Amino acid sequence: MASSILSDCSTARLLPLRRALLQQRVPCIRPCPALASPRRLFAAARPQLLPRPPRMDSVPAAASSAESADASAKVIDGKLVAKQVREEIAVEVTKMRDAIGIVPGLAVILVGSRKDSQTYVRNKKKACEAVGIKSYEVNLPEDSSEEEVIRHIASFNSDPSVHGILVQLPLPRHMNDENILNAVSIEKDVDGFHPLNIGRLAMQGRDPFFVPCTPKGCMELLHRYGVEIKGKRAVVIGRSNIVGMPAALLLQKANATVSIVHSQTKNPEEITRQADIVIAAVGVANLVRGNWIKSGAAIIDVGINPVDDPESPRGYRLVGDVCYEEASKVAGAITPVPGGVGPMTIAMLLSNTLESAKRIHKFK
């Protein structure tokens, strides 16, 4: 699915920004202390929820309260919030089924046999089953034609039992992503990538049918942890169509003052240091250092980057775009990697599918 690889900011479509930032003399050249001490890094990532805001009575009153002795930031636990969202969706799916006999349906089209894509699709199927959403799956060979993929999309577009359609990215090189994604009905575009959905997101006074899953997950974490957005300064690092740009639009809709750090930004540290909220989505391991962070800022780290780790059975481990060990000593709240934004992406996909079924069948 498109939204799954979105949260993996190491994808090829983000490489120009990675190269440009690495060419600058920014502090990311200095190794993050966490790289030399992987166990210490993840010890600091044990979750603790922020105090529950009065308007969000669904936020758990407590979670694990363990913190690293030298970390001051509260840990924004994406796993916990995603579990909570899935439980809420399961209740709504049951209500809908019992009231009108309709079960939301999600269709996934997978082209080729990439192991990571197969894993993503398998995880989505399990997530659907767990909340009662019916899943449909089409697996096509690598050499399938673009027209064949579009025929399957058209079939799902006209199928009343399917309320959400997504095409797993990346597609084979001989296919045009834009042509294929544009073939998905805007009313079933649960990944939120149709240009009309993005266009409505960018316009004042308009709402898209769907918000892209990863940026939506970022905003959900901020809201559920009671992070104030209105009137605050926000910086988004990265301007991809799939994470950075829609995240900036969502923050702007929430009345933040938004800056975007990108490949042509000359002073990324200085700009980022002004932010009350930082969303990092560029795909450079440990790029954002502690001295980039304003004291008390909320940090949402979308990056998922493999780094060598001889102590790991796999020979590597995953870190974010933010140097967690340094940033957690300065920030007010921060997402760990893994366990932060990643789990929210599939949860938001399920949320969008439920929302689509409710809209199509006028169920409230």
Side-chain angles (χ1 to χ4, degrees):
M1 126 182 173
S3 56
S4 288
I5 65 165
L6 310 190
S7 59
D8 179 1
C9 295
S10 61
T11 56
R13 65 188 74 201
L14 293 181
L15 285 175
L17 178 53
R18 175 191 288 134
R19 284 196 298 266
L21 284 172
L22 288 177
Q23 286 167 359
Q24 298 183 36
R25 294 183 178 273
V26 294
C28 63
I29 302 302
R30 175 170 51 86
C32 172
L35 296 181
S37 182
R39 292 176 181 170
R40 193 163 142 223
L41 171 67
F42 289 105
R46 293 173 184 167
Q48 181 184 36
L49 283 177
L50 290 175
R52 178 173 60 187
R55 69 181 183 279
M56 297 301 295
D57 58 3
S58 61
V59 174
S64 171
S65 60
E67 288 187 48
S68 171
D70 60 354
S72 60
K74 302 295 183 181
V75 179
I76 299 177
D77 187 353
K79 286 184 178 179
L80 183 61
V81 175
K83 179 177 181 291
Q84 188 176 68
V85 170
R86 292 194 302 270
E87 290 171 350
E88 293 166 1
I89 291 170
V91 170
E92 292 299 308
V93 168
T94 299
K95 285 181 181 178
M96 188 174 186
R97 182 195 63 205
D98 293 346
I100 62 175
I102 298 295
V103 175
L106 174 64
V108 180
I109 298 174
L110 173 63
V111 185
S113 56
R114 283 177 56 119
K115 297 298 183 184
D116 56 347
S117 293
Q118 291 174 337
T119 300
Y120 293 145
V121 170
R122 199 160 49 241
N123 290 342
K124 289 176 198 54
K125 186 175 182 179
K126 289 179 181 178
C128 285
E129 292 172 353
V131 300
I133 290 176
K134 189 170 183 180
S135 62
Y136 303 84
E137 186 179 333
V138 170
N139 294 289
L140 299 174
E142 183 85 16
D143 60 355
S144 298
S145 69
E146 197 171 297
E147 292 72 21
E148 188 175 358
V149 178
I150 292 175
R151 279 199 301 272
H152 283 284
I153 292 173
S155 176
F156 286 134
N157 280 340
S158 60
D159 187 342
S161 65
V162 173
H163 306 96
I165 304 168
L166 63 88
V167 181
Q168 178 69 43
L169 296 182
L171 289 164
R173 291 181 179 276
H174 67 277
M175 294 185 180
N176 184 303
D177 290 16
E178 185 176 0
N179 290 343
I180 290 174
L181 294 178
N182 288 357
V184 176
S185 166
I186 187 173
E187 295 185 348
K188 297 185 178 184
D189 171 40
V190 289
D191 253 345
F193 295 146
H194 194 288
L196 292 179
N197 269 324
I198 295 295
R200 291 174 68 90
L201 179 62
M203 297 178 70
Q204 294 187 41
R206 307 287 179 86
D207 290 314
F209 282 95
F210 304 101
V211 172
C213 299
T214 299
K216 183 177 180 179
C218 295
M219 297 299 290
E220 190 73 13
L221 289 174
L222 291 172
H223 288 309
R224 294 211 179 208
Y225 274 77
V227 175
E228 186 177 357
I229 301 175
K230 182 179 179 181
K232 298 297 183 179
R233 283 178 170 266
V235 165
V236 178
I237 304 175
R239 55 177 174 178
S240 71
N241 289 334
I242 52 183
V243 183
M245 183 270 292
L249 293 173
L250 287 169
L251 287 165
Q252 183 173 276
K253 275 186 176 290
N255 296 309
T257 300
V258 184
S259 299
I260 299 177
V261 170
H262 52 76
S263 59
Q264 301 302 309
T265 303
K266 297 183 184 301
N267 52 346
E269 315 99 300
E270 180 181 334
I271 293 173
T272 304
R273 202 176 298 121
Q274 299 172 18
D276 303 296
I277 299 166
V278 176
I279 295 181
V282 64
V284 179
N286 297 303
L287 170 71
V288 180
R289 312 308 297 251
N291 61 3
W292 289 40
I293 305 300
K294 178 181 179 180
S295 179
I299 311 299
I300 305 294
D301 190 352
V302 185
I304 302 179
N305 309 290
V307 296
D308 292 338
D309 181 3
E311 294 186 24
S312 169
R314 297 176 297 181
Y316 71 93
R317 59 190 172 82
L318 300 176
V319 301
D321 292 348
V322 178
C323 180
Y324 185 92
E325 186 172 88
E326 293 181 2
S328 63
K329 297 175 185 177
V330 184
I334 188 170
T335 57
V337 177
V341 176
M344 294 298 296
T345 298
I346 291 181
M348 295 299 99
L349 172 66
L350 301 177
S351 174
N352 281 353
T353 302
L354 172 62
E355 182 182 331
S356 176
K358 285 184 171 183
R359 183 188 296 117
I360 289 172
H361 296 284
K362 297 180 173 60
F363 180 77
K364 295 184 178 180

